[in-house]
Amino acid sequence: TKLQPDWLVVDHYALDQRWETALRPNFQQLMVIDDLADRPHQCDLLLDQNLGRQPQDYTSLVSAHCKVLVGPQYTLLRPEFAALRAYSLQRRQQPVFKQVLISMGGVDQPNVTGQVLQALKGCTLPQDCRISVVMGLQAPWLQQVQAQAQDMPRPTEVLVNISDMAQHMADSDLAIGAAGSTSWERCCLGLPTLIVVLADNQRAIAEALQCAGAAKTLDTASAVPMICEVLSVLIDNPHALHDMSIAAARIVDGLGTAHLVSHLSALENS
């Protein structure tokens, strides 16, 4: 049986109008997820979730009939983030600095996690501060990081392949992590973040979040030793954490999927 879906949704940097035009007989309407604005598309709806993106960035890349949705308000998050948003924002009304969450992605090939732990070892953290590190089971430096955690001056746990990331974010007071799509998860929960830029394509997101007041940015992994300098300001002034939390929560409300579906339905019925 020939497939003929009402909507085909694609998300791949290698796809452009050539592939989309060739596949046109096999679907009713096409939605493209992009965040580069660097190639033409032949689609009915285009979604770019990046902060600071403008619809006109795609004017010359899509046809006049294409609906363009831009900005983190359309971020597609798992429902548990919206479900935990109220709890997470409520506990930040009285800002404290007790729980730090480190997450550099599941693989972390360059072992920035280890660099961050080494830097934190030299920081003056509150006596009751705890550190949680999240890694994937296939992370090549997992065993080394686990050994490093045992040698930290503050209690440090290494969590592997967890399924409740939203809860850990909601329970944390500061995240140290990479840019990318997880940035919008942290924003939904109002989690202040110290972002380490791991690749050039993360820099724009990191800078936009810093400009919005939702994060502090270290522009390369080589800047990790400066973490203590940044943290000392946040530890001495918890209200700075509160301000970052409010700024982050303004960016993403966790209902992006519902917002998107309403547009898909409207286009399907038009």
Side-chain angles (χ1 to χ4, degrees):
T1 303
K2 186 178 180 181
L3 288 177
Q4 190 75 28
D6 294 330
W7 280 96
L8 176 65
V9 180
V10 296
D11 180 7
H12 199 292
Y13 290 144
L15 302 183
D16 62 15
Q17 66 178 3
R18 295 168 296 176
W19 184 94
E20 294 153 7
T21 301
L23 269 286
R24 175 59 68 176
N26 299 288
F27 53 79
Q28 296 295 320
Q29 297 191 85
L30 177 68
M31 171 181 157
V32 168
I33 299 174
D34 190 10
D35 59 10
L36 297 179
D38 67 347
R39 61 200 189 282
H41 292 288
Q42 187 56 242
C43 58
D44 302 285
L45 186 147
L46 185 139
L47 170 65
D48 186 325
Q49 304 164 78
N50 275 347
L51 181 64
R53 180 67 75 197
Q54 300 297 324
Q56 53 265 36
D57 295 339
Y58 286 96
T59 301
S60 64
L61 301 176
V62 298
S63 62
H65 87 275
C66 178
K67 179 78 173 180
V68 177
L69 304 178
V70 299
Q73 66 268 34
Y74 295 109
T75 297
L76 307 178
L77 300 181
R78 299 192 304 277
E80 56 261 36
F81 289 95
L84 283 167
R85 178 174 164 87
Y87 159 77
S88 185
L89 298 184
Q90 178 61 39
R91 64 175 295 277
R92 299 179 200 288
Q93 294 300 311
Q94 302 296 326
V96 294
F97 194 104
K98 290 185 177 180
Q99 183 68 37
V100 177
L101 179 69
I102 302 171
S103 178
M104 292 295 162
V107 177
D108 187 18
Q109 189 70 43
N111 192 26
V112 178
T113 302
Q115 296 175 48
V116 169
L117 285 178
Q118 184 60 37
L120 289 179
K121 197 172 181 180
C123 297
T124 304
L125 299 177
Q127 287 293 328
D128 56 355
C129 183
R130 301 179 62 86
I131 300 169
S132 294
V133 178
V134 175
M135 301 186 77
L137 187 60
Q138 303 304 318
W141 298 94
L142 176 58
Q143 289 186 329
Q144 289 91 331
V145 168
Q146 289 172 326
Q148 215 175 338
Q150 298 297 315
D151 196 37
M152 291 292 290
R154 298 289 180 268
T156 303
E157 61 178 350
V158 180
L159 307 166
V160 182
N161 274 18
I162 60 173
S163 59
D164 57 346
M165 186 64 167
Q167 188 67 61
H168 285 282
M169 285 185 177
D171 289 334
S172 297
D173 303 308
L174 177 78
I176 302 174
S181 58
T182 193
S183 298
W184 315 128
E185 297 171 350
R186 296 186 296 243
C187 283
C188 176
L189 298 174
L191 177 57
T193 304
L194 176 54
I195 294 176
V196 182
V197 176
L198 303 183
D200 286 341
N201 64 357
Q202 296 181 358
R203 185 160 283 108
I205 293 177
E207 289 176 353
L209 286 167
Q210 178 161 281
C211 286
K216 304 290 186 184
T217 298
L218 298 177
D219 63 358
T220 62
S222 62
V224 166
M226 296 172 55
I227 281 180
C228 293
E229 195 177 312
V230 179
L231 291 187
S232 66
V233 175
L234 298 176
I235 292 169
D236 293 341
N237 180 18
H239 292 292
L241 281 178
H242 186 244
D243 292 343
M244 289 172 71
S245 176
I246 292 173
R250 283 198 191 108
I251 294 170
V252 177
D253 65 6
L255 302 177
T257 302
H259 300 324
L260 172 63
V261 168
S262 68
H263 284 285
L264 291 174
S265 299
L267 287 173
E268 190 172 337
N269 296 325
S270 61

